[in-house]
Amino acid sequence: MDLARTEVAPRRSRKESATRIGLTALPVTFFAVFFAYPVAAIVARGLKIDGAWRFGRIGEVLAQSDIRHVLWFTTWQALASTALTLLIALPGAYVFARFEFRGKQVLRAVVTVPFVLPTVVVGTAFLALVGRGGLLDQLWGVRLDTTVWAILLAHVFFNYAVVVRTVGGLWSQLDPRQEEAARMLGASRFAAWRRVTLPALSPAVAAAALMVFLFTFTSFGVVQILGGPTFSTLEVEIYRQTSEIFDLATAAVLTIVQFVAVGAILAVHAWTVRRRETALRLVAPEVTVRRPRGAGQWALLGGVLASILVLLVLPLGVLVQRSLDAPGGYGFAYYKALTSADSGIFLVAPIAAIGNSLEYALAATAIAVVIGGLAAAALTRRTGRLVRGFDALLMLPLGVSAVTVGFGFLIALDEPPLDLRSSWILVPLAQALVGVPFVVRTMLPVLRAVDGRLREAAAVLGASPWRVWREVDLPLVRRALLIAAGFAFAVSLGEFGATVFIARPDNPTLPVAVARLLGRAGDLNYGQAMALSTILMVVCAVALLLLERIRTDRTGEF
């Protein structure tokens, strides 16, 4: 019997090693070919002249005063946006974590809609609210489109859900009896929160702050629309140097700077996540959630609902209002104009962008679910530095310049055996790069919660790794898989930075169509941009409402 066991153990170990290699092979290949290779191609094209690397170009570019101004503004606005988002969103995180109230599920979906909207649509919504001729301009003569405040508020709008879901998800699982015990020992409400709850929340707050900083540091659509010629982030400057000036050397240097910054942010983020996973003992959310009690708690709930109404719902409402405000009076004139191809901007009617976006997003979702599902399964089977490095690799597309990836697709994927420049699959591949991290982040906690002894028992009984996944893991994670697919679909639908380079004029996506319509003068073009943005917002909202309905956990995390 002992001899049989010693013979089975090495075989099982070899099978597990082969399974890990098989699970990681496809994701690693996918990221190497469709992420690392295009980015490396852009950097090489910019810094390699006559076969020789010119790294001295990095110092030359960074010495330029206008580039230093871009770096300063990128960093400053990201820090300011992060601080403002935390200040406004932390009370919301507490309300969603601790209070039970009517419409909470729907409100959580509403809060998340801005996050999955394309940044170009977010910029459009705030342009309609605070820009020239916007609601504030019409009512009080206030315009913020030429100041940094419009950008900061748009970033709060976009990242509010990151704080609410990341911090609120942990807050809902902290045992409130610890804080209550501190108060019974004589501590004031604030002192108990500062000494008990805040230290426990600090990893989640740090993780949320880092993610908000990452998204605002790499902001593109919002700054491009609201910043005008005065304000430019690294991402906007990379786009300008690439598509308008065609200075690939400067674009390559800025890409390297952004890549290094993003790598540092993700490294710190991974450390905070590990602290969060290992430092706390959590309870079920059902234990901590209750209806508000007392005037103070009801006032807090009312304040949070008011802030959501003003900061999140109002810009979306103005977007709808402007899409209906036609020259002949309120109606669907701008929506009807989407069926005409007479504008000369596209080779097809703008309404065709809706079908194109849905088709591309479905294909991107399928790719993201396969790649992200395999990667999540691999990450559950082993721990260590190599696995953490692989996990960080999967997050890089969220922070590395999407503009660089998109332009890299055109440069790198134009020769056999990867001559894809004229292929429709290029757009879904770029969108899937953004969807994969959301699939991994959604699937990973659920897969790690599956009892490993179930897999071992199935393997001992002779089941293959595929059969173990199909009969053990899949029934337990099916709902999480649907949620992951939903998030991948929503973010793929709104991808803009890379798609703006590779979407063809006869097959535009919704975000690209919106950006091109906004780039042309005329009320008709502006109204059609608002109409397309509204359609995209509605599709994303419906997708998120469906996701909230199929959720089984009460934490509200991504």
Side-chain angles (χ1 to χ4, degrees):
M1 177 67 79
D2 291 340
L3 181 61
R5 287 179 178 174
T6 57
E7 290 177 350
V8 169
R11 285 201 301 269
R12 188 184 306 166
S13 178
R14 287 193 296 269
K15 184 180 290 187
E16 290 176 354
S17 298
T19 300
R20 284 196 297 268
I21 294 173
L23 290 172
T24 57
L26 187 58
V28 168
T29 302
F30 177 80
F31 274 84
V33 174
F34 297 113
F35 177 69
Y37 178 47
V39 172
I42 280 288
V43 173
R45 181 69 64 93
L47 297 182
K48 205 172 184 181
I49 301 177
D50 297 328
W53 289 93
R54 289 192 56 195
F55 291 107
R57 179 63 176 158
I58 297 177
E60 296 173 8
V61 170
L62 296 180
Q64 298 175 21
S65 59
D66 56 338
I67 297 299
R68 290 202 304 271
H69 175 74
V70 169
L71 290 171
W72 163 247
F73 176 73
T74 301
T75 305
W76 179 87
Q77 64 82 25
L79 288 171
S81 296
T82 301
L84 191 60
T85 303
L86 288 175
L87 179 65
I88 295 174
L90 280 175
Y94 175 79
V95 165
F96 278 99
R98 294 299 200 204
F99 294 165
E100 187 64 52
F101 53 91
R102 188 184 299 275
K104 179 178 177 181
Q105 192 177 56
V106 174
L107 192 63
R108 182 180 283 129
V110 170
V111 164
T112 312
V113 168
F115 179 72
V116 299
L117 282 178
T119 54
V120 66
V121 174
V122 175
T124 304
F126 272 80
L127 190 65
L129 178 63
V130 303
R132 179 170 298 152
L135 181 64
L136 297 185
D137 189 15
Q138 292 177 0
L139 295 178
W140 299 294
V142 176
R143 292 202 304 264
L144 300 179
D145 56 315
T146 56
T147 72
V148 73
W149 277 107
I151 296 173
L152 298 182
L153 290 175
H155 284 159
V156 173
F157 171 89
F158 185 76
N159 293 291
Y160 188 94
V162 176
V163 178
V164 167
R165 287 185 175 268
T166 303
V167 180
L170 178 62
W171 212 334
S172 66
Q173 299 175 79
L174 293 181
D175 193 343
R177 291 171 295 189
Q178 297 177 354
E179 189 173 321
E180 293 169 1
R183 294 195 62 194
M184 290 182 64
L185 292 174
S188 65
R189 183 183 295 275
F190 177 74
W193 180 83
R194 180 173 56 85
R195 295 176 181 176
V196 178
T197 304
L198 183 58
L201 280 178
S202 59
V205 174
L210 285 167
M211 292 309 297
V212 173
F213 183 85
L214 174 65
F215 290 137
T216 53
F217 187 84
T218 58
S219 182
F220 177 48
V222 168
V223 179
Q224 186 187 37
I225 291 175
L226 297 175
T230 306
F231 301 111
S232 180
T233 57
L234 272 174
E235 187 84 349
V236 174
E237 189 64 21
I238 290 171
Y239 176 78
R240 192 174 73 88
Q241 296 289 340
T242 302
S243 63
E244 298 177 9
I245 303 177
F246 208 69
D247 185 351
L248 293 185
T250 299
V253 171
L254 297 181
T255 297
I256 292 172
V257 171
Q258 185 166 308
F259 187 84
V260 171
V262 167
I265 294 169
L266 289 177
V268 178
H269 178 264
W271 176 74
T272 61
V273 169
R274 287 199 301 275
R275 278 189 61 198
R276 175 182 169 187
E277 290 179 346
T278 58
L280 300 174
R281 295 181 62 184
L282 307 178
V283 297
E286 290 80 1
V287 177
T288 67
V289 177
R290 63 179 184 273
R291 291 187 62 81
R293 293 180 297 187
Q297 291 188 354
W298 281 107
L300 176 61
L301 176 60
V304 168
L305 293 179
S307 68
I308 291 174
L309 180 65
V310 173
L311 289 172
L312 304 185
V313 178
L314 181 60
L316 298 178
V318 172
L319 195 66
V320 177
Q321 180 264 332
R322 297 303 293 269
S323 73
L324 297 172
D325 189 9
Y330 281 94
F332 294 94
Y334 289 139
Y335 290 88
K336 293 177 182 178
L338 296 176
T339 61
S340 172
D342 297 334
S343 65
I345 301 177
F346 308 104
L347 299 179
V348 296
I351 199 170
I354 300 173
N356 295 335
S357 288
L358 292 175
E359 292 175 2
Y360 287 144
L362 287 172
T365 299
I367 297 170
V369 167
V370 172
I371 300 298
L374 290 173
L379 289 170
T380 61
R381 294 175 178 269
R382 192 174 180 180
T383 59
R385 291 185 178 179
L386 187 62
V387 173
R388 290 196 294 269
F390 179 53
D391 194 8
L393 169 68
L394 299 173
M395 294 290 290
L396 278 178
L398 291 180
V400 173
S401 170
V403 170
T404 300
V405 174
F407 197 64
F409 270 30
L410 296 181
I411 289 179
L413 305 180
D414 63 341
E415 296 180 357
L418 289 173
D419 188 4
L420 302 176
R421 191 158 56 176
S422 60
S423 174
W424 69 273
I425 195 65
L426 210 58
V427 173
L429 287 171
Q431 294 174 340
L433 284 171
V434 182
V436 167
F438 287 91
V439 174
V440 174
R441 295 274 74 80
T442 304
M443 295 284 295
L444 195 55
V446 182
L447 284 171
R448 283 177 172 166
V450 176
D451 193 339
R453 291 173 294 184
L454 296 175
R455 300 189 186 103
E456 295 174 359
V460 168
L461 293 173
S464 64
W466 163 245
R467 189 174 180 185
V468 171
W469 160 255
R470 179 165 53 87
E471 297 188 6
V472 176
D473 291 78
L474 184 58
L476 297 173
V477 303
R478 184 182 290 113
R479 194 177 292 265
L481 187 62
L482 291 174
I483 295 172
F487 270 115
F489 177 79
V491 297
S492 298
L493 199 65
E495 204 287 321
F496 174 64
T499 310
V500 70
F501 278 99
I502 56 182
R504 299 187 306 188
D506 59 338
N507 285 293
T509 63
L510 276 170
V512 172
V514 170
R516 289 179 182 171
L517 286 167
L518 285 175
R520 298 286 292 268
D523 291 338
L524 179 61
N525 292 326
Y526 181 80
Q528 289 182 93
M530 295 294 170
L532 282 178
S533 298
T534 301
I535 292 171
L536 185 52
M537 176 190 70
V538 170
V539 173
C540 291
V542 170
L544 286 171
L545 284 171
L546 292 175
L547 290 181
E548 291 298 331
R549 288 186 65 85
I550 65 176
R551 276 184 181 273
T552 55
D553 66 283
R554 300 282 299 276
T555 65
E557 292 186 87
F558 283 117

